[in-house]
Amino acid sequence: MIEVKGLVKSFDGNMILNNISTEFVQGKTNLIIGQSGSGKTVLIKCLLGLHSPDDGEIVYDGVSNRNMTQAEKTLLRREMGMVFQGSALFDSMSVLENVMFPLKMLTKKHNDEIVQRAVDAIKRVELKKAKEKLPSELSGGMQKRVAIARAIVMNPKYLFCDEPNSGLDPKTAIVIDNLIQEITKEYNITTVINSHDMNSVMEIGEKIVFLENGIKNWEGTNKEIFSTKNKSITDFVYSSELLKKVKKFL
Amino acid sequence: MFYLNDIGRYFIMIRMSFFKPCKWKVLKKLIFKEINDLIIESIPIVSILSFFIGAVISIQTALNLSNPFLSKSLIGFATRQSVILEFAPTFMSIIMAGKVGSYITSSIGTMRVTEQIDALEVMGINPLNYLVFPKIIALLFYPFVITIAMFTAIFGGFLAMTFAGVPSEAFITGIQMDFEPYHVFYSYIKTILFAIILATVPAYHGYYMKGGALEVGKASTSSFVWTSIIIIVVNFIITQLLLS
């Protein structure tokens, strides 16, 4: 579980995150939603330790980031997996090499074991046939699967996904969402997904945090989101014509 | 203030590239790859350019030595001195700032744009050690490229003079005349400094770039401009210190 307490972050005097407090629950898919520029990516980068908060603290399973030494921070990073918006696969490496990369760099395992674990992760995301291909030879959905395989190969405690289904067709997006949810349950990890896709909210949003202009405006589940009276969240949820029509039938 | 910030960040980048090293096995592989990409693959272009520039230097020297009282061996002497003191280390390094420098900036810059550097950081890997350190080590082999440039340029000059009818003995006598080993030492000192500049200045421009694909191109251009300027300024300082 990750607890965020009074998190504040600003860049060049612009307040990006203003006193954010919430919890991301273990074994559940936690979604951070909000409009572009609402601070979702900055929040996820703070959770990852890529940005240092100006104020507040982040507690990872009882351990606060405030008391951590540099070595502890490095060890914590090894317990994190990240799926980037653009997949962030290494262009010059094949699928298998990409997935093997964290194991090769960070563990002292024998090469055979590394290959076996990487192949298992690739199998888990159903990409076994593509393991020798380069990222440029894969579709967007396949690249996301490789990114997921690379993120889970180290058996992380925390999985972070930055808009994992952006640029994907709705059908593939749902496949990716479901894959992330299945992995979350299977490995019992704390998954935090940054999204503004309403399909993801409905499909896998077990815990949702809604950000607006750097402030936490609402939190709840995908069931509660449709019955809330909070105007900001309802405006966000029913922003498309399709969903407005759906709302009339509800 | 803006440039001071950049200078400070540049030196911190160099320092950080030696910290938190990756596994030696991985680094070794990366260093060999960089030696191939930055050194071995530069040899053909360096050889071709050196050969023709050496030929041009000797032709132009010959043109200016029309006085019959001046020995033809002076052509070889002037060619050797121009090549060793200036052409091979400095001129070639500026050409390499275009070839090697833009390769380094664009490859690191593309990794920045596509979040691959963020991915390394998230994994707990020091991106500077992974990306910049192997390039610095690989470019320590740069004097080897400059040695090839020196030999090819003098050979180019020799062939040009042979075809122009200058006795080859005179040219060979010229290139042996008043040989100062200290000049070669000075040349290699410059080369090593230029090698470090060639590895780190473009890496700095790529690593700290912001924006998208368009900015990668802009970063490559500014990397070439700054690497050339720094090479020229360092060349002046080193020449003042070692030769004046």
Side-chain angles (χ1 to χ4, degrees):
Chain A
M1 185 163 85
I2 302 173
E3 293 163 82
V4 178
K5 296 176 183 173
L7 197 73
V8 176
K9 180 71 189 170
S10 55
F11 292 105
D12 302 325
N14 294 325
M15 185 80 86
I16 307 296
L17 297 175
N18 189 357
N19 197 22
I20 305 283
S21 295
T22 188
E23 283 177 4
F24 298 109
V25 190
Q26 186 174 355
K28 286 189 177 177
T29 42
N30 303 274
L31 260 74
I32 306 168
I33 61 167
Q35 287 181 328
S36 300
S38 59
K40 303 187 299 287
T41 303
V42 175
L43 176 55
I44 222 163
K45 287 194 171 175
C46 286
L47 296 177
L48 279 161
L50 291 177
H51 290 326
S52 309
D54 298 340
D55 199 8
E57 69 176 325
I58 304 166
V59 182
Y60 302 88
D61 288 310
V63 184
S64 169
N65 68 332
R66 278 182 180 168
N67 311 324
M68 277 182 200
T69 61
Q70 198 53 45
E72 284 170 333
K73 280 181 185 171
T74 306
L75 284 175
L76 177 70
R77 288 248 177 102
R78 290 181 187 182
E79 294 185 325
M80 294 174 173
M82 173 75 187
V83 178
F84 285 88
Q85 191 174 356
S87 301
L89 301 176
F90 301 115
D91 309 319
S92 56
M93 297 181 195
S94 70
V95 167
L96 181 64
E97 286 167 335
N98 261 288
V99 180
M100 279 163 60
F101 185 79
L103 292 167
K104 266 193 168 174
M105 296 296 287
L106 305 169
T107 68
K108 289 177 178 170
K109 293 183 192 306
H110 192 266
N111 197 48
D112 293 343
E113 194 185 340
I114 289 175
V115 173
Q116 192 50 53
R117 271 183 69 172
V119 169
D120 289 344
I122 292 169
K123 266 189 202 164
R124 180 65 195 82
V125 297
E126 293 163 21
L127 268 181
K128 203 187 165 198
K129 283 181 187 167
K131 72 177 196 289
E132 298 304 331
K133 287 188 175 174
L134 289 171
S136 56
E137 296 170 308
L138 304 176
S139 67
M142 287 163 98
Q143 287 185 11
K144 287 279 157 63
R145 284 162 185 258
V146 180
I148 293 170
R150 189 176 67 182
I152 61 167
V153 76
M154 293 280 286
N155 290 332
K157 278 167 87 175
Y158 314 101
L159 178 65
F160 300 94
C161 308
D162 187 13
E163 301 192 14
N165 44 23
S166 72
L168 302 180
D169 65 86
K171 212 173 166 183
T172 313
I174 289 169
V175 171
I176 296 294
D177 281 342
N178 289 336
L179 179 65
I180 293 170
Q181 193 174 36
E182 282 165 26
I183 285 167
T184 303
K185 304 282 175 211
E186 204 175 307
Y187 293 81
N188 193 29
I189 47 184
T190 308
T191 298
V192 183
I193 303 171
N194 178 353
S195 180
H196 47 61
D197 179 36
M198 287 317 297
N199 277 339
S200 300
V201 172
M202 285 188 263
E203 286 285 328
I204 58 166
E206 292 173 286
K207 162 89 193 261
I208 300 160
V209 176
F210 175 64
L211 294 186
E212 193 180 42
N213 299 324
I215 297 167
K216 188 189 80 176
N217 194 302
W218 182 87
E219 68 181 320
T221 65
N222 55 356
K223 290 182 181 69
E224 290 164 354
I225 204 166
F226 295 105
S227 55
T228 180
K229 301 283 181 239
N230 183 312
K231 192 178 177 316
S232 298
I233 187 85
T234 46
D235 284 353
F236 179 74
V237 170
Y238 299 108
S239 52
S240 77
E241 286 302 315
L242 176 70
L243 285 166
K244 276 175 191 159
K245 282 176 186 167
V246 170
K247 192 185 177 188
K248 284 179 188 169
F249 289 104
L250 288 173
Chain B
M1 277 305 283
F2 179 73
Y3 289 119
L4 278 179
N5 181 45
D6 269 331
I7 293 165
R9 204 160 58 158
Y10 168 73
F11 284 108
I12 291 169
M13 181 200 81
I14 296 176
R15 189 169 149 259
M16 286 304 294
S17 65
F18 290 89
F19 280 147
K20 247 177 88 186
C22 304
K23 276 184 178 176
W24 172 239
K25 206 175 152 189
V26 177
L27 273 182
K28 198 171 73 180
K29 221 174 173 183
L30 288 171
I31 290 168
F32 279 119
K33 185 190 170 290
E34 298 296 357
I35 289 173
N36 182 57
D37 292 349
L38 304 177
I39 302 292
I40 310 287
E41 286 188 2
S42 299
I43 291 173
I45 178 96
V46 165
S47 305
I48 293 167
L49 291 174
S50 306
F51 181 86
F52 287 103
I53 299 275
V56 169
I57 289 172
S58 62
I59 292 167
Q60 287 180 352
T61 310
L63 190 75
N64 288 292
L65 290 177
S66 52
N67 190 330
F69 291 107
L70 289 173
S71 165
K72 294 287 179 202
S73 61
L74 285 175
I75 301 169
F77 174 77
T79 306
R80 184 201 74 203
Q81 287 298 87
S82 315
V83 165
I84 290 178
L85 290 175
E86 210 50 43
F87 161 73
T90 313
F91 189 75
M92 265 304 134
S93 295
I94 290 170
I95 291 169
M96 290 291 272
K99 189 197 174 286
V100 169
S102 20
Y103 164 75
I104 293 174
T105 307
S106 57
S107 60
I108 297 179
T110 307
M111 287 186 78
R112 169 64 74 199
V113 170
T114 55
E115 297 177 308
Q116 291 175 48
I117 292 177
D118 289 341
L120 287 169
E121 267 184 74
V122 170
M123 287 176 205
I125 296 162
N126 175 4
L128 287 168
N129 181 260
Y130 184 77
L131 297 171
V132 182
F133 177 76
K135 289 177 175 60
I136 295 174
I137 302 298
L139 275 164
L140 291 181
F141 289 87
Y142 183 56
F144 172 69
V145 176
I146 295 306
T147 308
I148 291 175
M150 286 174 183
F151 277 99
T152 345
I154 293 171
F155 181 65
F158 171 75
L159 280 190
M161 285 304 95
T162 308
F163 284 119
V166 173
S168 55
E169 295 81 17
F171 191 88
I172 291 167
T173 308
I175 58 176
Q176 292 171 335
M177 190 193 289
D178 294 333
F179 180 69
E180 276 274 358
Y182 181 73
H183 288 170
V184 179
F185 169 76
Y186 152 79
S187 181
Y188 280 118
I189 290 286
K190 284 207 302 194
T191 304
I192 289 166
L193 284 172
F194 295 162
I196 294 165
I197 292 166
L198 279 172
T200 53
V201 175
Y204 173 81
H205 279 88
Y207 192 81
Y208 291 105
M209 66 147 293
K210 283 177 185 160
L214 187 67
E215 279 74 17
V216 176
K218 284 182 184 167
S220 295
T221 309
S222 76
S223 144
F224 172 69
V225 170
W226 278 108
T227 310
S228 308
I229 291 171
I230 293 168
I231 284 173
I232 293 294
V233 172
V234 169
N235 183 40
F236 169 73
I237 295 167
I238 288 292
T239 308
Q240 273 286 342
L241 288 173
L242 298 180
L243 287 190
S244 69

